[in-house]
Amino acid sequence: MLQTLAYYLAFLIIGLASASFGPGLPEFARNTGAGLAALSSLFLFHRVGYIAGSLGGGRLLDRTRGNRLTGLGLGLIALGLVSVSRAASLPVLLASILVLGLAQGTAETGANTGVVRLHGDRAGPYMNGLHLSFGVGALLSPLIVSASRAGTGSFRAAYAGFAALAALAGLWILRLPDPPARSRSAGEAGRNPLSFWMIAGLFFFTVAGEAGFANWAFSYARKAGLASETVAGLLTSVYWTSLTLGRLIGISLVRKLGPLRLLTLIIPGALAGSAVFLAFPDAAWAVWTAAALLGFFQASAVPASFTLAGDLGILSGSTAGLFGAACSLGGMTLPWLIGRFFDATGGAVFPVLIAASQAAALACLAGIRMARRKAGAGRG
């Protein structure tokens, strides 16, 4: 149980760090003298570091102690947070963000793999709890950053607190024994490539839809004249609240249904939410409905997919790293595409690409089920 709690704490810290950048942008601008346009590179550097950490960390997980790697990743997160909060120039800030992303990708891959190795076929509820911890951190982070700024005039106290927590968590995980590795994973991934790539696609398109909606819902509501600035801000809060609630409920649902049945329920649900938005893009009620449905139904897709990969025997350190990289690529690609065409289309590209991402996720789920049927027929 202590190991599970340690992994949960790691994900809480990753959520705290990831959600701190947006509220910190004005202070980053003051500290570095850079404009907001230049600071947009911050998110790109973070994603690139995250992908590198996921891929590199995944390969190292198959060659070294997983808890050692996760603990060191958390220690590097602590250093990265301190460096980010004190960066006085844009190059130093971007380098610090790159290192922070690298550390987060490594720690996330280690925690994801650790939970599956620790709990085996019973990992489903624990995996949902792991990703719920990230959501709790992401919800708390802006509040803590705002409180730090209100109390001290700077976000540095918040970042120092996050860094101290990361360092302590890293030391804790370093002292814990490693869960047993499941050596069959890599071989099964090679024998069942369709399942592997379909699960990777499911990660990519699910996180693409999450990041696309969360990053652009505010701007769309304002551009379309559907909400005031204050109300548009609440739209994003509704999305994250629904996502957190969905992960909480998913803990019991995945225990009752199993990961594949749960995915069969929630992936069409997310598509339905995006379809309502696509059908009525100029209606305020449709945007709010999409925020609630997308958040709720997307919530358990990533943890359930990790659990399914473990059940299918295709989750090794390397494959977990590749899945993490797929998540990061999705989270980087769709928001960029929306931004690329947002002004030119008057925002109309937003509901189209959100719906397309969820339709693609459903196609990947169909591919997983097809691979399962083929595997069953082959054994028969």
Side-chain angles (χ1 to χ4, degrees):
M1 190 62 183
L2 283 178
Q3 284 178 299
T4 303
L5 291 176
Y7 295 140
Y8 282 14
L9 180 57
F11 256 61
L12 177 77
I13 292 162
I14 293 169
L16 287 170
S18 296
S20 68
F21 305 143
L25 280 176
E27 192 162 344
F28 288 140
R30 288 196 301 271
N31 291 346
T32 63
L36 290 179
L39 283 173
S40 65
S41 300
L42 179 152
F43 299 101
L44 175 62
F45 274 68
H46 181 247
R47 285 291 184 180
V48 169
Y50 221 109
I51 292 168
S54 298
L55 293 174
R59 293 181 68 85
L60 287 172
L61 273 173
D62 291 330
R63 294 168 171 80
T64 188
R65 284 184 51 216
N67 283 353
R68 176 184 296 171
L69 192 65
T70 305
L72 291 175
L74 286 165
L76 193 56
I77 287 174
L79 293 175
L81 286 167
V82 172
S83 181
V84 162
S85 68
R86 296 185 173 275
S89 68
L90 184 61
V92 173
L93 176 62
L94 293 179
S96 301
I97 284 288
L98 184 69
V99 171
L100 182 56
L102 180 76
Q104 287 178 276
T106 301
E108 179 180 304
T109 301
N112 273 319
T113 306
V115 167
V116 173
R117 287 176 174 175
L118 183 63
H119 295 286
D121 294 339
R122 300 178 294 107
Y126 298 101
M127 186 61 74
N128 258 73
L130 182 71
H131 287 261
L132 174 63
S133 300
F134 177 94
V136 171
L139 279 174
L140 291 177
S141 182
L143 301 176
I144 296 172
V145 170
S146 296
S148 172
R149 189 179 290 117
T152 68
S154 171
F155 59 26
R156 287 184 177 177
Y159 273 82
F162 297 162
L165 187 61
L168 291 172
L171 290 173
W172 182 22
I173 289 181
L174 283 172
R175 296 173 62 88
L176 294 174
D178 272 51
R182 297 170 182 265
S183 58
R184 65 191 180 99
S185 299
E188 289 292 331
R191 288 195 293 272
N192 196 359
L194 180 59
S195 289
F196 169 78
W197 287 111
M198 289 298 100
I199 292 175
L202 190 54
F203 280 122
F204 179 92
F205 290 113
T206 296
V207 177
E210 289 178 6
F213 192 88
N215 282 300
W216 285 98
F218 177 93
S219 298
Y220 180 83
R222 296 293 295 129
K223 184 89 170 179
L226 300 177
S228 66
E229 185 170 334
T230 301
V231 174
L234 292 175
L235 182 65
T236 306
S237 297
V238 166
Y239 174 80
W240 286 115
T241 301
S242 296
L243 187 137
T244 302
L245 179 63
R247 284 185 176 162
L248 184 62
I249 294 174
I251 292 173
S252 61
L253 284 180
V254 74
R255 182 183 288 116
K256 294 177 181 178
L257 301 176
L260 186 57
R261 288 182 179 176
L262 179 59
L263 287 168
T264 304
L265 173 67
I266 62 179
I267 298 299
L271 178 58
S274 64
V276 169
F277 185 25
L278 182 62
F280 303 98
D282 298 323
W285 66 266
V287 181
W288 288 94
T289 299
L293 292 180
L294 280 170
F296 184 81
F297 284 111
Q298 288 175 334
S300 296
V302 168
S305 297
F306 267 109
T307 304
L308 178 61
D311 288 353
L312 295 177
I314 60 175
L315 190 69
S316 64
S318 296
T319 56
L322 288 167
F323 290 153
C327 290
S328 293
L329 280 171
M332 180 171 62
T333 302
L334 195 68
W336 177 81
L337 277 175
I338 293 171
R340 179 71 177 79
F341 299 104
F342 191 83
D343 285 333
T345 63
V349 70
F350 178 56
V352 172
L353 289 182
I354 295 298
S357 69
Q358 301 314 290
L362 184 60
C364 290
L365 177 61
I368 293 168
R369 298 190 70 90
M370 182 188 304
R372 294 261 292 175
R373 285 195 296 270
K374 286 184 177 179
R379 285 193 296 268

